[in-house]
Amino acid sequence: MMLNKLTRGEVIAENQNKRAIRQKAYNALPENREKRSNNNKARRLAILRHGAAAVAGKDVDHVDGNPLNNRAANLRILSRKVNRGRNNN
Protein backbone atom coordinates (compact mmCIF):
# COMPACT_ATOMS: atom_id res chain seq x y z
CA MET A 1 0.00 0.00 0.00
CA MET A 2 1.35 3.38 -0.97
CA LEU A 3 0.57 6.43 1.12
CA ASN A 4 0.09 9.82 -0.44
CA LYS A 5 2.50 12.40 0.90
CA LEU A 6 0.61 15.45 2.17
CA THR A 7 1.94 18.96 1.98
CA ARG A 8 2.07 21.04 5.13
CA GLY A 9 -1.02 23.02 4.04
CA GLU A 10 -2.99 19.83 3.47
CA VAL A 11 -2.03 18.49 6.90
CA ILE A 12 -3.13 21.74 8.56
CA ALA A 13 -6.43 21.68 6.66
CA GLU A 14 -7.01 18.06 7.66
CA ASN A 15 -6.31 18.86 11.32
CA GLN A 16 -8.69 21.84 11.22
CA ASN A 17 -11.43 19.63 9.75
CA LYS A 18 -10.97 17.04 12.51
CA ARG A 19 -11.04 19.78 15.15
CA ALA A 20 -14.22 21.25 13.67
CA ILE A 21 -15.93 17.85 13.84
CA ARG A 22 -14.84 17.33 17.47
CA GLN A 23 -15.95 20.86 18.40
CA LYS A 24 -19.36 20.36 16.81
CA ALA A 25 -19.89 17.14 18.78
CA TYR A 26 -18.73 18.82 22.01
CA ASN A 27 -21.06 21.80 21.50
CA ALA A 28 -24.01 19.47 20.87
CA LEU A 29 -23.78 17.84 24.31
CA PRO A 30 -26.77 18.89 26.47
CA GLU A 31 -24.66 20.09 29.41
CA ASN A 32 -22.54 22.27 27.11
CA ARG A 33 -25.59 23.70 25.37
CA GLU A 34 -27.04 24.64 28.78
CA LYS A 35 -23.79 26.25 29.92
CA ARG A 36 -23.50 28.26 26.69
CA SER A 37 -27.16 29.27 26.96
CA ASN A 38 -26.62 30.57 30.51
CA ASN A 39 -23.52 32.51 29.49
CA ASN A 40 -25.46 34.13 26.65
CA LYS A 41 -28.30 34.94 29.04
CA ALA A 42 -25.87 36.62 31.42
CA ARG A 43 -24.49 38.72 28.58
CA ARG A 44 -28.00 39.76 27.48
CA LEU A 45 -28.88 40.75 31.06
CA ALA A 46 -25.70 42.84 31.37
CA ILE A 47 -26.47 44.58 28.09
CA LEU A 48 -29.96 45.45 29.33
CA ARG A 49 -28.58 46.77 32.61
CA HIS A 50 -25.45 48.61 31.43
CA GLY A 51 -25.94 49.11 27.69
CA ALA A 52 -24.25 47.48 24.71
CA ALA A 53 -21.38 49.97 24.60
CA ALA A 54 -20.31 49.14 28.17
CA VAL A 55 -20.22 45.40 27.44
CA ALA A 56 -18.60 45.54 23.99
CA GLY A 57 -15.21 43.80 23.96
CA LYS A 58 -15.50 42.73 27.60
CA ASP A 59 -16.53 39.61 29.51
CA VAL A 60 -19.52 39.33 31.80
CA ASP A 61 -18.20 37.70 34.96
CA HIS A 62 -20.13 35.70 37.54
CA VAL A 63 -18.81 36.97 40.88
CA ASP A 64 -19.38 33.66 42.67
CA GLY A 65 -18.03 31.59 39.76
CA ASN A 66 -21.38 29.84 39.23
CA PRO A 67 -22.48 30.32 35.60
CA LEU A 68 -26.03 29.28 36.50
CA ASN A 69 -26.44 32.20 38.93
CA ASN A 70 -27.52 35.08 36.69
CA ARG A 71 -28.80 37.43 39.40
CA ALA A 72 -27.92 41.06 38.67
CA ALA A 73 -25.90 41.30 41.89
CA ASN A 74 -23.76 38.35 40.76
CA LEU A 75 -22.84 39.80 37.35
CA ARG A 76 -20.07 42.29 36.67
CA ILE A 77 -18.22 43.47 33.57
CA LEU A 78 -14.48 42.83 33.43
CA SER A 79 -11.84 43.11 30.76
CA ARG A 80 -11.15 39.81 29.04
CA LYS A 81 -7.59 39.75 30.36
CA VAL A 82 -8.66 40.14 33.99
CA ASN A 83 -11.60 37.74 33.79
CA ARG A 84 -9.74 34.95 32.02
CA GLY A 85 -6.83 35.24 34.43
CA ARG A 86 -9.05 34.42 37.40
CA ASN A 87 -8.92 30.94 38.87
CA ASN A 88 -12.55 30.40 39.93
CA ASN A 89 -13.94 29.41 36.54
Side-chain angles (χ1 to χ4, degrees):
M1 172 165 55
M2 184 170 195
L3 297 175
N4 291 334
K5 188 168 185 170
L6 298 175
T7 65
R8 179 173 166 78
E10 290 171 331
V11 170
I12 291 172
E14 181 180 354
N15 289 339
Q16 288 173 341
N17 289 338
K18 287 181 181 178
R19 183 187 182 286
I21 291 168
R22 282 193 321 270
Q23 189 68 38
K24 189 172 184 178
Y26 176 83
N27 286 339
L29 293 174
E31 59 269 17
N32 294 328
R33 289 173 60 98
E34 182 180 356
K35 183 178 176 184
R36 190 170 57 254
S37 173
N38 280 313
N39 285 337
N40 290 337
K41 182 179 179 184
R43 187 161 195 83
R44 286 192 308 270
L45 291 171
I47 289 172
L48 286 173
R49 187 172 186 202
H50 301 286
V55 181
K58 300 195 177 182
D59 283 352
V60 177
D61 176 49
H62 293 85
V63 177
D64 66 359
N66 178 3
L68 301 177
N69 182 359
N70 286 324
R71 291 181 303 122
N74 188 46
L75 299 177
R76 66 180 170 192
I77 300 169
L78 294 177
S79 71
R80 288 181 177 161
K81 182 178 181 179
V82 170
N83 186 44
R84 295 176 188 187
R86 296 178 64 227
N87 289 326
N88 75 335
N89 294 328

